[in-house]
Amino acid sequence: MDNSGVTFALWSWARAQTASGSEVCVLHAPAANSTKEISFVSKESSPGLSHHDVPHRGRHRLTLRPVALDRYLGRNDLLVLHEGWVPGNLVAAAAACRARVPYVVMPHGVYESAWTTYLKPPRWLRHRLERRLLERAAAVHVFFESEIADVAALAPNASFITVPTGFHLPNERWTGGGGYLGWLGRIDPFHKGLDALVGAIARLPADQRPMLRIRGYDYRNGIARLRDLIEKLDMAKWVRLDGVIAGAEKTRFLQQAEGYIHPSRWECHSIALLENLALGVPCIVSKAIHIAQTLERWSAAVLAQPSEAGLAAALPRLAADRAVAPRGRALVSDAFNWKTLMPQFHSAIGRLGLQ
């Protein structure tokens, strides 16, 4: 299991379900298939929570398929499949059907119309297989109601439950003082809006440009593309691009930033953004992502269009509206509290007859 926001969410749900009284086993491909060097996801077992290597065929994530998954499933189980568009989910769903075990799909945003532009052909066949997967599921578990339209366009007869991933409020608090704005995650310049963010900073007068520090891991040569853009716009003085960060070092990086910027052109439910909100870091957030509506209701972030002009207009507002910081922390404490969310989840699956 590689490190990612999805993996963090997977383990967060597993721990929250265990804490609420369920017995959970995380089934995954052997660790040899994991490639990230730094682990920022705790994968330790605990009472009621275990994990098990399942033999797989295939050479990498997009071709891996579980072998004989049926033998790991019992009649009283519920199988949860994460993400989508991978043959492993199709094979796992077929195994669940053979074992007469219901399954739920938690897509983590991979059915968004913008995301599907990444799909390799033949798309018509992949759409047909994915529709079958989703419509045979007991439910598709989305995090926000606004996700449903894209999934329903692909699978009109799918059923849905809506409960977001929660986050534990840390003892640590935002301090600022580092003299930079932060960003953290998977470095995909277009998807994550990093190209627009660098362009936005370039639009500002030189004496008004903030220092931006980007920390994360490469995706499809995104680091090289972003470095080329930084060089092209002559922004090396204001934009610093570093590697993966985890643990206490990551917490300090977020705490000491003057603010956090989340300029994604689309996004399901960012764990990095939740982490910053929970610390009380003042945030600029793209209006295009699903959590934006919630943030607007709570006045918990400075919202901006994920464009050069939109972000350039928002950057000066962040320093002037520090009140968003405590409201962001309060939002996480209330709307993304596992103690609130797990009863919602159990009620939702109960309505589907899965308890």
Side-chain angles (χ1 to χ4, degrees), residues 100-111:
R100 297 184 180 180
V101 170
Y103 67 89
V104 168
V105 178
M106 189 182 291
H108 300 272
V110 300
Y111 298 122

Side-chain angles (χ1 to χ4, degrees), residues 2-346:
D2 286 345
N3 293 313
S4 67
V6 171
T7 307
F8 187 98
L10 181 160
W11 280 93
S12 295
W13 273 101
R15 296 187 190 287
Q17 288 165 340
T18 301
S20 68
S22 299
E23 185 176 346
V24 179
C25 181
V26 177
L27 303 174
H28 55 84
N33 292 299
S34 183
T35 58
K36 300 293 187 297
E37 296 179 357
I38 297 178
S39 177
F40 55 85
V41 180
S42 174
K43 304 168 186 173
E44 296 179 358
S45 298
S46 60
L49 173 60
S50 59
H51 61 94
H52 196 94
D53 285 357
V54 175
H56 278 62
R57 293 193 180 98
R59 295 189 175 184
H60 55 79
R61 178 181 173 278
L62 296 180
T63 62
L64 287 173
R65 290 106 53 210
V67 176
L69 186 66
D70 321 40
R71 62 185 177 183
Y72 299 95
L73 303 176
R75 285 294 179 90
N76 295 321
D77 288 345
L78 172 66
L79 179 64
V80 181
L81 304 175
H82 291 265
E83 294 194 292
W85 304 113
V86 290
N89 277 3
L90 302 176
V91 172
C97 291
R98 287 194 301 271
R100 297 184 180 180
V101 170
Y103 67 89
V104 168
V105 178
M106 189 182 291
H108 300 272
V110 300
Y111 298 122
E112 295 208 27
S113 56
W115 198 101
T116 59
T117 61
Y118 286 85
L119 289 177
K120 294 181 179 180
R123 290 187 181 179
W124 67 268
L125 177 59
R126 300 188 72 179
H127 277 244
R128 179 179 295 182
L129 293 172
E130 214 69 14
R131 175 176 177 172
R132 177 179 171 85
L133 169 78
L134 296 170
E135 293 187 341
R136 294 179 71 183
V140 179
H141 180 169
V142 297
F143 302 140
F144 300 95
E145 293 288 336
S146 53
E147 294 179 66
I148 292 175
D150 278 339
V151 184
L154 174 63
N157 296 318
S159 299
F160 296 90
I161 60 175
T162 306
V163 185
T165 299
F167 199 86
H168 292 293
L169 211 63
N171 293 325
E172 296 87 355
R173 297 288 190 100
W174 172 65
T175 60
Y180 59 88
L181 299 177
W183 184 90
L184 180 75
R186 173 168 54 87
I187 300 178
D188 180 346
F190 182 76
H191 175 189
K192 300 299 183 179
L194 296 174
D195 55 348
L197 178 55
V198 173
I201 295 173
R203 285 181 173 226
L204 298 175
D207 61 347
Q208 297 179 26
R209 292 173 183 166
M211 170 66 70
L212 174 65
R213 293 185 62 188
I214 296 173
R215 303 298 302 259
Y217 59 93
D218 198 16
Y219 182 76
R220 296 188 176 185
N221 208 33
I223 289 178
R225 287 185 282 123
L226 189 57
R227 281 183 174 147
D228 287 345
L229 178 63
I230 292 168
E231 181 178 352
K232 177 182 177 181
L233 297 179
D234 195 22
M235 293 298 294
K237 181 179 177 180
W238 292 277
V239 182
R240 178 173 166 182
L241 184 56
D242 295 312
V244 179
I245 193 171
E249 185 183 5
K250 180 185 72 171
T251 301
R252 286 192 299 272
F253 171 74
L254 300 180
Q255 282 180 289
Q256 294 172 5
E258 303 302 333
Y260 183 78
I261 308 185
H262 197 83
S264 296
R265 288 182 168 90
W266 69 91
E267 193 85 63
C268 178
H269 191 24
S270 167
I271 297 299
L273 177 57
L274 276 186
E275 188 168 7
N276 278 275
L277 293 168
L279 285 167
V281 181
C283 297
I284 294 175
V285 179
S286 164
K287 289 183 177 180
I289 70 175
H290 292 292
I291 199 175
Q293 295 178 25
T294 304
L295 293 170
E296 185 174 29
R297 287 196 300 270
W298 280 73
S299 299
V302 173
L303 298 179
Q305 292 294 344
S307 64
E308 289 187 10
L311 293 166
L315 283 165
R317 292 170 50 204
L318 188 63
D321 192 3
R322 292 305 201 199
V324 298
R327 290 196 290 263
R329 185 175 169 92
L331 168 64
V332 175
S333 177
D334 183 270
F336 298 101
N337 189 322
W338 282 116
K339 292 182 179 179
T340 301
L341 296 175
M342 286 314 299
Q344 295 176 19
F345 174 78
H346 288 301

